[in-house]
Amino acid sequence: MLFSEGLLKGESCKSCLERFPIGLYLTEARLEEGRVWCKIQFVNAAYQELCGYTQEEIAQDPYWWWEHLHFEDRSQVLESLNLYLEKGLSSGCLSYRFRHKEGRYFWLKDYFAFLGLRGSHLLWAGVWVDISREKALEEEIREREEFFRFFMDHAPVGIVIYDERILYANPYVEKVLGYSLEELQKMPVWELVPPDYQEEIRQIVQRRLQGEKIPRQYFEFLVRRKDGRERFVRFYAETVKYKNRYLGVGIGVDVTPEKYLERKLTEVLLFDSLTGLPNRTLFLEKLEVLLHRAERRKEELLVCVLDLSKFREINAFYGSQIGDRLLKAVARRLGAFLRKSDLKSRLFADKFALILPEIRSTFSLWTVLEKIQQVFREPFRLDGLEIELNAVLGGAVYPKDGLSAEELLHKAEIALKRAKEKGESWALYSEEMGAELLEEAFFRQALLEGLKRREFYVVYQPI
């Protein structure tokens, strides 16, 4: 008789165990190489109901328990049993899948206690608890977490959760910033923006964490990557309360390519593509701003239009490539000779425009005009060529000659026209020029009207 039989002699004890609502078993076992020999001495009704087998069926095969273990769980179960024995532990717990008589598998939590040894036989008793429902719930939660993480990891936007530091950031954020999540979690949030914005961001974060109601915010700002480069980010932030704690949740998009394109479009729309100088549109916008400043400061301002003499002949003789390089050289010289506060522009072709603020006296006006003339005193040297180039200048002064940008530019062009007609290097607008221009326009229109009405006819005087 096996020594385990003595434990089941009491009929009242056995009857009580039979009626127990959870699966109970008593077995003698031997751990073999790669499997477990297991002679099960007793199983109660709940145990038999769990697995679908009767005690007689179970007792027929000493490898019944082992063969019904899920093949993926066998090595882990055997390893755990050996570990319990090596450490001299008297009890333990195993989780594994077990095959029902119908062929389906269900999850078990097997709580057991070692009762003694007889030779190579180990006696233990245990309790089976069906945890299939819990495992199904765990699997559902795991699948949901995987689903959530998959879409978070592959989201085409940056997603962050933060307090003073970033608690979570998806791979998009790591890619844009160049930091790993572990590195980001050690940094205050505001250190990711340039120094000029750090205090503002720090205050907003502190207010958010204190639960202050902050309107849903939308930012566009620069962030600094780990390698020092800057990226332009469009960021939306909201406050959430989680377990009595206020956190910030943000969604960000790297708009650096968009901003780069905007800048390129701005350059195309507002800057001359050849010289890089502002074009006529931007020139007039800047002029309006400077006129408002001159009005506040009670200062005069000079607007000049500059035309390169005989540039068309030079361009035709040397070719457009040399002509383009010559225009670039003129733009560079204007930048070198004039002040940084003086605005330079290329209106079109060989015509440039200048805004010279802070004209405080007649002397300073003549000084500025003289400096512009110095630009063309030295020849321009290109590929061994020395090209002499002169310019004719027309100017109008604010507020004497006009109050708006368009008016001042128009009057500077009138002065340029008069200077070219008289063969002079420069001219400033005067009321007489305006009157002469009106008179010319009147006679030109009158002549055109007369021609239309056939009011002109040929007469001759015989000799």
Side-chain angles (χ1 to χ4, degrees):
M1 182 180 69
L2 292 171
F3 72 94
S4 60
E5 292 176 0
L7 293 172
L8 299 173
K9 281 184 177 179
E11 289 300 324
S12 60
C13 177
K14 184 176 180 180
S15 176
C16 182
L17 294 176
E18 282 282 3
R19 294 195 301 271
F20 215 71
I22 56 177
L24 301 176
Y25 68 90
L26 180 67
T27 185
E28 287 192 48
R30 181 176 65 245
L31 305 187
E32 298 179 348
E33 187 68 31
R35 62 180 181 173
V36 178
W37 178 93
C38 192
K39 186 173 179 59
I40 296 176
Q41 302 294 314
F42 167 77
V43 293
N44 69 350
Y47 185 104
Q48 295 173 59
E49 185 179 348
L50 279 172
C51 65
Y53 289 91
T54 65
Q55 181 160 348
E56 291 74 20
E57 291 173 319
I58 293 169
Q60 288 176 6
D61 182 5
Y63 294 106
W64 173 86
W65 178 77
W66 179 257
E67 293 298 333
H68 282 70
L69 276 177
H70 195 288
F71 71 93
E72 291 180 356
D73 299 334
R74 290 175 185 174
S75 60
Q76 179 262 330
V77 166
L78 187 58
E79 183 181 341
S80 297
L81 288 171
N82 278 309
L83 187 63
Y84 283 127
L85 292 172
E86 287 173 10
K87 291 186 175 182
L89 299 175
S90 60
S91 62
C93 177
L94 299 169
S95 294
Y96 52 82
R97 287 162 290 181
F98 200 83
R99 189 173 75 247
H100 191 275
K101 188 175 183 179
E102 295 173 353
R104 58 182 172 83
Y105 281 91
F106 61 98
W107 274 97
L108 283 173
K109 184 78 77 172
D110 188 342
Y111 299 92
F112 63 89
F114 297 124
L115 302 180
L117 282 170
R118 188 179 186 184
S120 62
H121 286 195
L122 176 68
L123 177 69
W124 84 67
V127 175
W128 265 14
V129 178
D130 185 354
I131 58 170
S132 299
R133 182 175 296 180
E134 289 83 348
K135 282 291 184 180
L137 182 59
E138 284 179 13
E139 182 66 17
E140 183 181 349
I141 292 171
R142 186 189 63 78
E143 288 180 357
R144 287 182 180 181
E145 287 179 351
E146 286 184 358
F147 179 84
F148 170 79
R149 186 166 296 278
F150 175 83
F151 284 99
M152 292 284 275
D153 288 350
H154 293 83
V157 295
I159 302 171
V160 294
I161 301 171
Y162 61 93
D163 49 20
E164 290 189 347
R165 301 175 191 276
I166 289 179
L167 304 176
Y168 168 80
N170 69 343
Y172 183 99
V173 177
E174 296 178 75
K175 182 179 178 181
V176 170
L177 297 178
Y179 291 98
S180 67
L181 178 57
E182 291 73 21
E183 291 172 316
L184 289 170
Q185 289 172 335
K186 297 175 184 177
M187 298 172 59
V189 174
W190 46 86
E191 286 189 4
L192 295 171
V193 302
D196 291 347
Y197 301 95
Q198 287 184 3
E199 181 57 26
E200 179 185 355
I201 298 299
R202 188 190 70 80
Q203 290 180 13
I204 292 173
V205 170
Q206 292 294 340
R207 289 166 55 201
R208 193 181 296 284
L209 298 181
Q210 290 167 10
E212 184 177 334
K213 192 170 183 179
I214 300 175
R216 186 174 298 168
Q217 291 184 306
Y218 156 79
F219 300 95
E220 281 193 355
F221 53 79
L222 288 169
V223 294
R224 293 186 302 179
R225 285 176 47 86
K226 185 178 180 179
D227 58 16
R229 291 183 296 161
E230 293 183 335
R231 306 290 292 180
F232 215 98
V233 171
R234 184 174 295 138
F235 189 74
Y236 304 84
E238 180 66 282
T239 305
V240 296
K241 189 175 183 180
Y242 178 72
K243 293 184 178 180
N244 297 319
R245 180 185 179 190
Y246 291 99
L247 299 172
V249 176
I251 295 177
V253 181
D254 180 7
V255 293
T256 306
E258 178 184 323
K259 290 295 178 181
Y260 179 78
L261 180 59
E262 283 181 9
R263 188 176 68 185
K264 286 294 182 185
L265 290 174
T266 299
E267 289 175 0
V268 170
L269 293 172
L270 300 177
F271 290 86
D272 173 50
S273 60
L274 181 64
T275 63
L277 295 176
N279 63 12
R280 183 187 181 93
T281 302
L282 184 57
F283 176 83
L284 290 171
E285 288 181 8
K286 297 275 189 182
L287 179 53
E288 286 290 356
V289 173
L290 292 172
L291 288 176
H292 288 303
R293 190 179 74 176
E295 182 182 11
R296 288 196 309 271
R297 296 181 179 181
K298 308 298 182 185
E299 293 175 344
E300 291 187 330
L301 178 147
L302 176 64
V303 176
C304 296
V305 179
L306 184 150
D307 190 82
L308 304 180
S309 300
K310 298 183 179 179
F311 175 78
R312 291 181 182 178
E313 291 84 345
I314 294 171
N315 196 49
F317 184 78
Y318 291 109
S320 60
Q321 188 175 7
I322 292 294
D324 288 347
R325 291 177 61 189
L326 186 58
L327 291 172
K328 289 181 182 179
V330 169
R332 285 195 297 270
R333 271 203 200 175
L334 287 171
F337 275 80
L338 300 177
R339 301 168 297 179
K340 287 186 178 179
S341 59
D342 299 333
L343 183 69
K344 285 74 70 175
S345 170
R346 183 186 175 207
L347 299 181
F348 60 88
D350 59 344
K351 188 171 286 188
F352 292 79
L354 309 171
I355 304 173
L356 302 120
E358 301 174 2
I359 303 296
R360 296 187 175 90
S361 65
T362 304
F363 176 76
S364 63
L365 180 61
W366 299 123
T367 301
V368 166
L369 292 171
E370 175 62 24
K371 188 174 285 188
I372 296 171
Q373 291 298 318
Q374 288 177 10
V375 173
F376 301 96
R377 286 186 180 162
E378 291 290 328
F380 291 84
R381 295 176 175 84
L382 302 170
D383 292 342
L385 299 172
E386 285 197 1
I387 301 175
E388 297 284 347
L389 190 64
N390 293 314
V392 182
L393 185 73
V397 178
Y398 167 86
K400 178 176 70 70
D401 300 326
L403 301 177
S404 72
E406 287 282 3
E407 183 182 10
L408 286 167
L409 183 60
H410 174 62
K411 289 182 175 178
E413 289 176 332
I414 291 173
L416 173 66
K417 183 174 180 294
R418 281 291 176 263
K420 290 168 75 174
E421 288 173 353
K422 294 181 178 180
E424 297 174 351
S425 59
W426 60 269
L428 291 176
Y429 179 82
S430 65
E431 290 184 2
E432 290 78 11
M433 290 181 186
E436 290 173 4
L437 188 68
L438 287 173
E439 186 177 355
E440 286 180 8
F442 172 78
F443 281 115
R444 188 182 300 109
Q445 187 62 31
L447 287 169
L448 289 172
E449 291 294 331
L451 287 169
K452 287 180 183 178
R453 292 195 293 266
R454 299 181 179 274
E455 293 177 349
F456 294 93
Y457 54 91
V458 179
V459 295
Y460 63 93
Q461 177 69 42
I463 296 176

